[in-house]
Amino acid sequence: MNKQIRRYIAAALLGLLQSSVVSAEDYMDQTSFLAQAFADDIPPAQKYWLKNEDDDVAQRIMGHSLDALRIRYWAKGTKSVWILDEIGKLKPITIGVVIDNNTIASLNILAFRESRGWEIKLPFFTSQFIGLSLTNNYELSDHIDNITGATLSVRAATNVASMALYFSQKITLDTVTHAKKIEQDPSTPN
Amino acid sequence: MPKKSSKIHRRLIKWHYWVGALFAATFVGFAITGVLINHSHDWSLDSKTIAWPWLNRFYGYGQNDVKSGFPLNSSWVYQLGHALYLAESKLGECHGKLIGAAQIDRLYYVACANELLITLEDGTRVESIGLFPETFDKLAVSENILYAQNQQTQRIYRFNEEHGQWLIATPFATLAFQQATALPAVLLTQIPSAQGAKITWERLLLDLHSGRLFGRAGVFIADLIALALIFSSISGLWMWLKKRRNTAIKMPPGQ
């Protein structure tokens, strides 16, 4: 066989082998994600302390309680950003959700630790979430197409999107309620 | 008269036979695991678990031979498989190695290679931080601040409580990184029994089929097998077409 052809085949094989070993944990770091969401003007992190009713909603959306007392979020104006973990098949997937005016502005897979189902981090999947809101039944306002072989990862992403929308509504409600309290009684603490 | 087999054709036949002979068993294995994976739900392979102790240990489950941990307040934190324990109470799970534990103010911080659990003193989980800039191997506490280090890169990070993230740091003083210490004999007798088997047949088949059961080397070998299969298929098809053409040339016209 021609030497040149052999070299080309060897190079192609090496390239193929290299690309096949995809890290199961490719991710975007928190700072980069927040910078992207807030155009580099990242607000300070705030803590949302969970209530019993939040656990009930989590049971309804995710099928399990949140197992935490607080979660962090970042908010500025009408925008809020949530970074939540949810188990795919066996390991947690870290998902960042940007909410604007109680609709999803973007959804990003920040860390993926399973050996399959990583396709959910591709734009063709995550772009489905843009513009969705939460219905009264705590469901997304539109259907999300499944990916064959990644059902559990898709479900994790859908659940996180719904929870982020729920929390966004909660902090909006809490802010409005608190503002009204201050209006009625200016001595109300922040 | 049909043309004599060209040099390329003869080499192709030789390679086809050798590749076929070397990889025959793996081709069969690929096919069998592939079919089983396709029907894993129909045949309940995704729910049936394997109770082989050596396999569970290989995957990090069912380990009941924990000997060391990290002191925390007046108790101990240790890891059993993926489960984290504070004395006899389960704190939670983390999928990386336990690297240390500390109390700062009234909160406990239990750090694994890629996860940080923050709990109250009674073990109630406050928060879980899962997005690490890199895997950590060591943990230290200095002046009520958590530090972690990746042994390979030697980079040190400081945990920023306000933002809930690890930021690169240059500590002013040398840090005393924690080392796992032998658990007291009394606690060893109270450690919960081995965790139940969690490996399903589907998981094993997937890891076998992809080669991931044997780590990165296994993935490379799986790729080689796939390439060999592609080569065998194409070369076999090429030889078949060539033979058909030669047979057509041999037959006199009209027959």
Side-chain angles (χ1 to χ4, degrees), chain A residues 176-188:
Chain A
V176 166
T177 308
H178 190 71
K180 278 187 178 161
K181 276 186 184 167
I182 290 177
E183 220 178 274
Q184 289 160 4
D185 180 6
S187 65
T188 304

Side-chain angles (χ1 to χ4, degrees), chain B residues 13-198:
Chain B
I13 294 173
K14 192 175 157 189
W15 273 96
H16 179 85
Y17 287 166
W18 273 107
V19 167
L22 279 170
F23 288 95
T26 56
F27 290 165
V28 170
F30 244 26
I32 292 174
T33 53
V35 167
L36 290 171
I37 289 164
N38 270 351
H39 297 277
S40 60
H41 187 68
D42 303 324
W43 296 336
S44 301
L45 297 174
D46 56 353
S47 53
K48 283 185 189 152
T49 53
I50 306 171
W52 300 339
W54 64 268
L55 187 69
N56 283 304
R57 273 199 300 276
F58 180 77
Y59 272 97
Y61 291 108
Q63 288 171 344
N64 197 23
D65 54 355
V66 59
K67 299 265 190 299
S68 60
F70 297 88
L72 184 62
N73 204 354
S74 54
S75 188
W76 288 83
V77 172
Y78 56 92
Q79 189 175 27
L80 200 62
H82 293 299
L84 293 174
Y85 282 85
L86 176 67
E88 292 169 65
S89 309
K90 188 173 175 183
L91 277 179
E93 288 201 354
C94 72
H95 294 266
K97 189 182 162 191
L98 175 66
I99 61 169
Q103 179 175 10
I104 298 175
D105 297 329
R106 301 191 63 181
L107 293 177
Y108 286 172
Y109 295 79
V110 179
C112 297
N114 43 28
E115 205 170 335
L116 178 68
L117 250 56
I118 305 174
T119 76
L120 299 177
E121 286 167 344
D122 66 359
T124 305
R125 184 186 298 211
V126 173
E127 194 175 358
S128 177
I129 308 288
L131 210 53
F132 279 20
E134 52 184 322
T135 306
F136 293 147
D137 303 293
K138 297 192 282 189
L139 187 80
V141 184
S142 177
E143 295 183 8
N144 277 349
I145 297 173
L146 276 179
Y147 292 89
Q149 185 182 40
N150 177 296
Q151 217 150 3
Q152 200 174 7
T153 62
Q154 291 290 302
R155 279 194 285 260
I156 295 175
Y157 293 81
R158 174 177 66 86
F159 182 65
N160 182 308
E161 170 67 34
E162 188 192 332
H163 295 290
Q165 63 178 125
W166 294 91
L167 303 171
I168 204 118
T170 312
F172 293 113
T174 310
L175 295 168
F177 287 104
Q178 295 182 1
Q179 300 284 339
T181 316
L183 294 173
V186 170
L187 182 58
L188 282 173
T189 60
Q190 294 164 348
I191 283 176
S193 57
Q195 300 290 298
K198 291 193 184 176

Side-chain angles (χ1 to χ4, degrees), chain A:
Chain A
M1 200 187 285
N2 189 304
K3 247 190 196 173
Q4 211 168 17
I5 295 173
R6 268 185 280 181
R7 276 199 203 124
Y8 282 136
I9 292 173
L13 280 174
L14 273 169
L16 207 65
L17 290 173
Q18 192 83 21
S19 62
S20 70
V21 183
V22 174
S23 164
E25 295 189 24
D26 292 334
Y27 66 95
M28 184 191 291
D29 66 87
Q30 182 173 299
T31 307
S32 302
F33 174 63
L34 292 170
Q36 185 180 283
F38 291 108
D40 293 325
D41 186 18
I42 303 171
Q46 299 180 62
K47 292 167 186 165
Y48 176 76
W49 291 90
L50 298 164
K51 305 168 189 67
N52 287 337
E53 69 212 43
D54 298 324
D55 243 4
D56 294 337
V57 171
Q59 277 284 359
R60 199 164 156 174
I61 291 175
M62 298 169 120
H64 61 81
S65 69
L66 290 161
D67 195 23
L69 294 183
R70 72 184 185 209
I71 50 172
R72 284 172 207 265
Y73 69 98
W74 295 259
K76 194 165 74 172
T78 57
K79 193 181 275 190
S80 65
V81 172
W82 307 81
I83 298 177
L84 303 170
D85 279 353
E86 173 66 339
I87 302 284
K89 184 138 187 167
L90 292 171
K91 294 184 181 176
I93 305 169
T94 306
I95 303 170
V97 189
V98 181
I99 313 271
D100 200 345
N101 275 319
N102 289 321
T103 58
I104 296 176
S106 72
L107 183 141
N108 288 76
I109 308 301
L110 304 182
F112 190 86
R113 304 170 182 89
E114 303 270 16
S115 57
R116 62 196 293 237
W118 55 268
E119 295 88 346
I120 61 166
K121 73 178 184 178
L122 296 174
F124 81 84
F125 174 75
T126 57
S127 62
Q128 295 183 89
F129 291 89
I130 296 172
L132 300 192
S133 55
L134 200 65
T135 66
N136 291 335
N137 292 332
Y138 303 112
E139 290 172 354
L140 293 175
S141 54
D142 203 351
H143 170 77
I144 296 293
D145 285 338
N146 191 25
I147 300 174
T148 308
T151 306
L152 296 178
S153 300
V154 168
R155 192 179 302 166
T158 308
N159 290 346
V160 162
S162 302
M163 281 309 304
L165 282 165
Y166 167 75
F167 286 134
S168 168
Q169 287 177 354
K170 287 287 293 189
I171 61 166
T172 308
L173 193 62
D174 286 352
T175 306
V176 166
T177 308
H178 190 71
K180 278 187 178 161
K181 276 186 184 167
I182 290 177
E183 220 178 274
Q184 289 160 4
D185 180 6
S187 65
T188 304
N190 277 331

Side-chain angles (χ1 to χ4, degrees), chain B residues 2-6 9 12-13 16-17 234-251:
Chain B
K3 268 196 222 174
K4 264 187 141 176
S5 291
S6 65
H9 182 68
L12 201 63
I13 294 173
H16 179 85
Y17 287 166
I234 295 173
S235 57
L237 182 66
W238 193 85
M239 286 173 355
W240 177 76
L241 284 169
K242 187 103 174 147
K243 194 172 179 184
R244 270 196 66 165
R245 187 169 156 264
N246 288 345
T247 308
I249 292 168
K250 260 192 201 171
M251 298 276 277

